[in-house]
Amino acid sequence: MEDIENLKLNALKQIAEAVDVKALDEVRVSVLGKKGSLTEHMKCLGQLSIEEKKQIGQKLNLVKTEIEQAMEARREELSVKELNDKLLRETIDVTLPIRDENIGRIHPVSKIYEEVVAIFGEMGFEVADGPDIEDQFHNFNALNTPANHPARQMQDTFYISNPDSENFDDSYVVRTQTSAVQIRTMEKKQPPIRIIAPGRTYRSDYDATHTPMFHQVEGLVIDKKTSFANLKGCLYDFVKAFFELDDIPVRYRPSYFPFTEPSAEMDIGCKKSKTELKIGAGDDWLEILGCGMVHPNVLKACGINPEEYQGFAFGLGLDRLAMLKYGIPDLRTFFESDVRWLKHYGFMPLDEASMTGGLSNNGGSAR
């Protein structure tokens, strides 16, 4: 009995002195393991008489329980201590400045998206969104695009078969323009309407200035009194704010789009050389977007009376805006996931674009 009591006291002492979980496990093995001191005492019970076996066995079981409880309590203490020590070692002082080299970069397209939303947001435009997979009504028919229009040909548009119909006219398309969002907005909302619809679009094209997937933003204004002069004023204010110029030459050339009439393409002044393109005053012109007054057929398709309402629409490429503003020569590099490219052309995550805080000059590029 005395040996058992000494074993218990010695085991409890070792448990209390264990400095970590590993040391505690070593105590457990030395006492309760297959060859542990308490286990050896239990192995000897078979050599004792029935009375001694009962008496000593009961004592050993009590000692075993007491040691296990002490180990569990100590293990919890050590686990809490290890966690606190780890938290103390890994504490971050949030008052320290961010180390630039340890954070990522904002993609130029994401930056342009923020800038465009900030500018049009100041003009009172709301941001609208819609699905990437569209039916032909929203992507073509409601936009007054006839069946024989080149944009609807297989070599220009990605079609997706409709599992519920073998009719080609029922097949879906991966949207070729975010104009489909304008249609969905006009179906759901009564005028006045003032929205922009930024998002991904898809066309079967691939070269230095075209990719199968790219980004557009389209704008729509519908009201009882809306004119081409309103459209010109809106776009002029936009290009001035976007390129951060006090004045910029602009001109409008007649064009054709199925969903607008009259239609135009907007050019901005620039100065071109073999090595540089400078936006602003110059002898050259650069086409930047398409626009026009919403065609009456589009309004009818959306349930809006063209005798009462009229409006204007415009569309431009976010990727192309990024190329122009930040001097990026090849559109394909936008989607190659090259960290070196992103580090060169990207922006710091906290450089948010706003009309009050600034656009591209707000903290600046990582270049």
Side-chain angles (χ1 to χ4, degrees):
M1 288 291 191
E2 186 177 346
D3 290 344
I4 297 175
E5 187 65 24
N6 289 336
L7 185 153
K8 182 186 78 171
L9 294 175
N10 185 50
L12 293 177
K13 181 181 178 183
Q14 292 182 58
I15 292 170
E17 293 176 350
V19 294
D20 53 34
V21 175
K22 182 179 179 181
L24 187 64
D25 283 335
E26 292 176 355
V27 176
R28 179 187 59 79
V29 172
S30 67
V31 178
L32 303 177
K34 291 183 179 181
K35 296 182 180 181
S37 54
L38 186 63
T39 306
E40 291 297 329
H41 276 76
M42 288 186 168
K43 289 179 181 179
C44 297
L45 290 177
Q47 303 174 7
L48 303 177
S49 62
I50 295 177
E51 284 297 324
E52 288 178 326
K53 186 184 298 184
K54 181 179 179 181
Q55 183 181 10
I56 296 176
Q58 185 177 13
K59 178 67 175 177
L60 287 173
N61 285 332
L62 290 173
V63 169
K64 181 180 180 182
T65 300
E66 190 173 348
I67 291 174
E68 288 176 340
Q69 290 176 346
M71 282 190 172
E72 187 62 31
R74 183 59 177 164
R75 185 182 300 277
E76 186 174 348
E77 290 177 8
L78 292 172
S79 297
V80 171
K81 182 177 179 298
E82 286 185 3
L83 177 60
N84 290 334
D85 290 344
K86 183 178 181 181
L87 291 174
L88 187 62
R89 290 193 306 270
E90 298 179 358
T91 297
I92 299 175
D93 185 353
V94 296
T95 64
L96 290 174
I98 295 176
R99 288 173 293 185
D100 295 349
E101 68 274 10
N102 292 333
I103 58 178
R105 298 289 186 269
I106 298 297
H107 196 283
V109 172
S110 299
K111 182 67 172 175
I112 292 295
Y113 177 97
E114 292 177 357
E115 295 181 14
V116 170
V117 169
I119 295 170
F120 283 113
E122 284 289 311
M123 298 183 189
F125 285 77
E126 298 178 1
V127 177
D129 195 12
D132 286 20
I133 307 298
E134 273 291 3
D135 54 56
Q136 294 194 50
F137 173 79
H138 290 92
N139 197 81
F140 291 127
N141 299 352
L143 289 164
N144 200 39
T145 306
N148 61 350
H149 194 277
R152 301 185 74 153
Q153 296 179 9
M154 295 286 288
Q155 65 264 28
D156 294 316
T157 300
F158 296 109
Y159 284 91
I160 301 175
S161 60
N162 187 338
D164 300 323
S165 175
E166 295 182 359
N167 189 345
F168 177 78
D169 293 337
D170 295 329
S171 59
Y172 298 105
V173 298
V174 189
R175 69 182 182 190
T176 59
Q177 54 205 357
T178 55
S179 302
V181 179
Q182 299 178 4
I183 300 299
R184 292 185 176 274
T185 301
M186 287 189 282
E187 287 179 329
K188 298 176 183 177
K189 185 176 181 180
Q190 289 297 313
I193 297 172
R194 185 178 293 189
I195 65 157
I196 56 170
R200 293 183 298 268
T201 51
Y202 309 83
R203 295 179 192 174
S204 184
D205 210 348
Y206 188 70
D207 57 38
T209 56
H210 300 85
T211 56
M213 187 280 290
F214 55 102
H215 300 83
Q216 276 189 339
V217 60
E218 304 211 16
L220 174 71
V221 173
I222 303 292
D223 210 336
K224 291 184 177 181
K225 294 182 179 180
T226 308
S227 67
F228 205 96
N230 299 136
L231 168 62
K232 292 170 67 177
C234 174
L235 295 180
Y236 180 65
D237 287 343
F238 167 73
V239 293
K240 280 202 309 178
F242 180 78
F243 290 106
E244 301 172 78
L245 297 172
D246 295 330
D247 186 32
I248 182 171
V250 299
R251 72 177 184 183
Y252 295 86
R253 292 177 290 103
S255 187
Y256 168 76
F257 305 109
F259 32 82
T260 54
E261 179 61 37
S263 303
E265 290 184 341
M266 180 184 181
D267 298 338
I268 57 174
C270 65
K271 185 177 181 180
K272 299 178 183 177
S273 68
K274 293 183 178 180
T275 58
E276 185 182 21
L277 172 64
K278 186 176 181 181
I279 304 297
D283 298 327
D284 300 303
W285 293 96
L286 180 70
E287 185 269 320
I288 191 171
L289 58 86
C291 59
M293 301 301 293
V294 178
H295 199 290
N297 290 346
V298 175
L299 296 176
K300 289 178 184 178
C302 299
I304 296 176
N305 184 0
E307 298 296 328
E308 184 178 2
Y309 293 100
Q310 58 189 9
F312 64 77
F314 56 87
L316 58 157
L318 294 177
D319 311 297
R320 188 154 183 262
L321 287 179
M323 294 175 70
L324 292 176
K325 190 167 186 178
Y326 304 125
I328 305 173
D330 194 325
L331 181 61
R332 292 169 291 190
T333 58
F334 280 61
F335 311 108
E336 291 179 351
S337 302
D338 190 328
V339 176
R340 297 166 301 176
W341 181 91
L342 186 58
K343 187 174 182 181
H344 178 72
Y345 287 111
F347 292 81
M348 301 307 297
L350 298 181
D351 293 341
E352 296 184 2
S354 69
M355 293 300 291
T356 54
L359 296 177
S360 62
N361 293 332
N362 183 32
S365 164
R367 285 165 281 164

